Amino acid sequence: MSAVEAKLAELGKKLPEVVPPLAAYQPAVRSGSYVFTAGQLPMVKGSMPVTGKVGAEVSAEQAKELAAICALNALAAVKSVVGDLDKIQRVVKVVGFVASAPDFTGQPGVLNGASELLGAVLGDKGVHARSAVGVAVLPLDAPVEIEIQVELVSSS
């Protein structure tokens, strides 16, 4: 078990199986020393636990928890490409999309769910740049979607 997965276990979390693609793309790709994930929905064992717009059918607190699930799914996608999460040198960027009710403006707070999870699991390696974007709708009526970019340790 990698140190990253041990830290997840310490936090009471487990790395899920990688979520299969919903269309014509890969969950993650490696380019040089970087891994880019596709957008990760908050799928749990093949289903969406909650659907709808944040600020309407979904509370900001629920959406923050869903963002953490998205981050776990993103880590699973990274692992599917590199085999070992201890190869992460740092999370470079997180881009998050929040399906928002028209008057909802708390997207950054929702995405803190992903950012806080990455920080708790990876420590300083989890500190990243981030974009928080409100959108009208996401695939499968998901409330939130996250993609991450990670840099890997050099293999010299």
Side-chain angles (χ1 to χ4, degrees):
M1 177 183 293
S2 72
V4 172
E5 290 178 85
K7 184 63 177 179
L8 279 168
E10 183 183 308
L11 296 169
K13 304 203 179 291
K14 185 177 185 229
L15 198 66
E17 294 294 318
V18 68
V19 176
L22 300 173
Y25 63 88
Q26 294 297 310
V29 296
R30 181 175 180 171
S31 180
S33 62
Y34 292 91
V35 175
F36 301 84
T37 71
Q40 299 293 312
L41 301 176
M43 301 290 279
V44 176
K45 296 181 181 176
S47 67
M48 190 76 59
V50 180
T51 59
K53 306 287 183 284
V54 181
E57 301 88 3
V58 180
S59 72
E61 295 78 23
Q62 287 175 301
K64 183 177 178 183
E65 292 171 11
L66 294 170
I69 293 170
C70 292
L72 280 173
N73 289 339
L75 288 173
V78 170
K79 183 180 178 184
S80 76
V81 172
V82 300
D84 181 356
L85 293 176
D86 289 344
K87 294 180 180 179
I88 295 174
Q89 180 167 314
R90 76 167 305 149
V91 177
V92 178
K93 178 91 186 245
V94 172
V95 179
F97 304 96
V98 179
S100 303
D103 61 344
F104 182 74
T105 60
Q107 293 83 4
V110 167
L111 295 181
N112 280 347
S115 295
E116 290 169 3
L117 178 108
L118 293 168
V121 171
L122 295 165
D124 289 342
K125 295 176 183 181
V127 177
H128 52 268
R130 186 180 82 186
S131 297
V133 182
V135 298
V137 67
L138 289 168
L140 305 179
D141 201 23
V144 64
E145 179 176 346
I146 303 290
E147 62 182 55
I148 68 173
Q149 301 165 8
V150 301
E151 182 179 12
L152 305 174
V153 294
S154 60
S155 55
S156 51

